[in-house]
Amino acid sequence: MEAAVPSRVALSAASRFPNRHAVAGDRSSIYKGRCQSLAIPMALSAAAPGKGGVLDRPVEKTTPGRRSEFDVKKKRKMTPPYRVMLHNDNYNRREYVVQVLMKVIPGMTVDNAVNIMQEAHVNGLSVVIVCSQSEAEEHCTSLRGNGLRSSIEPASGGC
């Protein structure tokens, strides 16, 4: 077959497979010898520095218009805290006030809501939550939307 194509140079089996130890007449000997695994160089290149290896720190990618997690935490620390105040009224039942507090304020438990409602009922005013100004405005608006009297004030000043 090799003689049929004169332009090609016939290569011996020894030159095509330099690491094999061929025995005359042994057809399976082509597959003997050193076999390089492709997984090893790929694993080494994946663990190389800057390639996403185990020891590399994750890179936080931010898109324009979005803040990183560090920036958001820094902003929360820098904004002055505000109190959301609940005022007593003679129109809403106590159970309804507790339900609204649990619905509007995230993480509000029944016990905390009852204590806040009771303090507002007895003293006329109660602190619901201390948070940033934007969150305080949202909570105050939500409480008012559900028929409760509420206001916000800076947490640093006043009584």
Side-chain angles (χ1 to χ4, degrees):
M1 206 159 147
E2 292 173 350
V5 182
S7 64
R8 293 189 183 183
V9 177
L11 296 175
S12 68
S15 64
R16 283 186 278 172
F17 305 105
N19 292 332
R20 85 177 182 124
H21 303 286
V23 177
D26 186 12
R27 291 182 161 212
S28 65
S29 64
I30 330 177
Y31 303 107
K32 290 182 181 176
R34 201 169 99 190
C35 177
Q36 293 182 354
S37 173
L38 296 178
I40 294 171
M42 291 168 67
L44 292 176
S45 67
K51 300 286 185 183
V54 176
L55 299 177
D56 288 344
R57 293 182 111 183
V59 178
E60 186 176 347
K61 297 178 182 178
T62 57
T63 57
R66 299 188 86 184
R67 295 186 185 121
S68 70
E69 184 177 334
F70 176 75
D71 292 339
V72 170
K73 287 181 181 177
K74 186 176 176 183
K75 182 182 177 188
R76 282 186 195 150
K77 289 180 183 178
M78 293 178 62
T79 58
Y82 276 75
R83 295 184 197 134
V84 178
M85 307 299 292
L86 178 68
H87 301 266
N88 185 35
D89 60 9
N90 295 327
Y91 308 109
N92 295 306
R93 296 180 56 90
R94 295 179 184 189
E95 294 84 8
Y96 177 73
V97 174
V98 170
Q99 288 176 352
V100 170
L101 286 172
M102 289 174 38
K103 181 175 82 171
V104 169
I105 309 299
M108 179 68 66
T109 63
V110 176
D111 293 334
N112 288 341
V114 168
N115 290 337
I116 291 168
M117 176 273 305
Q118 190 64 28
E119 185 180 347
H121 180 70
V122 172
N123 300 330
L125 192 65
S126 173
V127 177
V128 177
I129 190 171
V130 178
C131 54
S132 67
Q133 182 179 6
S134 62
E135 291 176 349
E137 289 173 351
E138 289 176 14
H139 294 317
C140 184
T141 305
S142 298
L143 290 171
R144 289 179 181 176
N146 285 293
L148 302 182
R149 292 178 54 204
S150 64
S151 62
I152 63 170
E153 64 180 32
S156 57
C159 319

